[in-house]
Amino acid sequence: MRILVIGSGGREHALAWKIAQSKLCDKLFCAPGNGGISRVAECVGIAHDDVSGLLEFAVKERIDLTVVGPEQALAAGIVDEFERAGKKIFGPHKSAAQLEASKVFSKELMAKYNVPTAGFKVFDDPEEAKRYIRKNGVPCVVKADGLAAGKGVVVAQTVAEAEEAVASMMQKKVFGDAGKRVIIEECLSGQEASILVVTDSRHALPLASAQDHKRVFDGDRGGNTGGMGAYSPAPAVTEAVLKEIMDTVVCRTIRGLSEEGIAYRGVLYAGIMLTPQGPRVLEFNVRFGDPETQAILPRLKTDLVEIMLATCSGRLSDIGTLKWDSRACVCVVCASGGYPGPYTRDKEITGLDDAEALEGVVVFHAGTVLRGETGHYLTSGGRVLGVTGMGATIKEAIKETYNAVSKISFEGMHCRKDIGRRALDL
Ligand code: AMP
Ligand code: GLY
């Protein structure tokens, strides 16, 4: 088969790396890809959200299966466009992608179908939102309705902070139309976990559990990032907890969507807070998580392309259960100087070969370019690498991964030193 992966981050490198191992894959493309991805796929210079350009390419190159990484194209309806043109594509339709593209849609669906989540109220008037905050007090969580590149959530500890979040989203419009409406939510506490399932809307198979680390500094301090690392499995997600999440979150959501006339096909990602009262949904994403995917896919033993094809054709129940490597996997993100603020780029990366020579280590590239003449990689993004290692336990995987990280350097590189440590406290 001829397969196209859309996107350019560590998640897409992990997807392309896994897909390239499938016996069903004869030729792999990635649009636009990055330096590291070009080792496993032919990278083509089409932006991840250029829906018509991507479709034109898929038709011209007789692509048999397209796999979408990031959310923007899904929210714009790339799956609907491809299917109209008779092209097979893995991901949810535009109507289903609202689950991520509109938090109001997602919260209202959860409320209607009794999916456990934080209590909430929707506002389209900033003054009303601020009055509500002053009356109800803090902590509270202010969320922009639309897509805000993972930055549209403020967990406010003071009334001033919450009001400022409302002002910046609704009045200063820092996220444009995405902040026209906001949600003010009850603040939950507990361990977080990411549960990703593949579903064809009739059947849902959970992937291995994972947990990411959103804050930039050790001990979960500093600003939010796209994710500084992840580990899988998440020990807090016991079999009983997973069953509860499948029953009360995943099945109710997929069934609820069906009742609304929306058949969800693709990956559904539930960000969960494990509260003393049980699992509660923090958010849904309609795609693979990044960096979670980099910690999950190295453990997957079932053929990913078979899973995706079965999902596209509504035959997911034929797959049975997914098979996993029992070892744990840890992914540590190496980021550019300055990230998550304005960051440096074009720095030469050294030590990649030494790191990858270690048993069980794979280095996924999130923001690199390959300098043709020398074969060296240069940094080109905020998150540069996802260094991924396996071990019999999380503790061993942490050791292997940080050993690999120690081989790698580029000017300004920083990474968290405590990825996975949270799992050891349980
Ligand atoms: P989201 O993008 O909705 O996952 O939110 C980003 C992060 O904000 C989550 O990973 C949580 O750490 C935090 N968060 C979101 N919603 C809540 C909530 N209701 N209570 C406490 N923390 C939250
Ligand atoms: N790791 C969080 C996300 O993919 O949105």
Side-chain angles (χ1 to χ4, degrees), residues 19 81 109 138 154 182 205 233 264 273 275 323 329 375:
I19 289 169
E81 294 277 325
L109 187 98
V138 284
V154 174
V182 302
L205 289 175
Y264 194 106
M273 186 80 89
T275 76
K323 302 206 172 40
C329 187

Side-chain angles (χ1 to χ4, degrees), residues 118 141 143 153 155 185-188 192 214 273 282-283:
V141 184
K143 298 186 172 184
V153 175
V155 181
E185 219 175 75
E186 167 199 7
C187 187
L188 302 173
E192 285 183 44
K214 289 203 166 83
M273 186 80 89
L282 294 173
E283 63 160 348

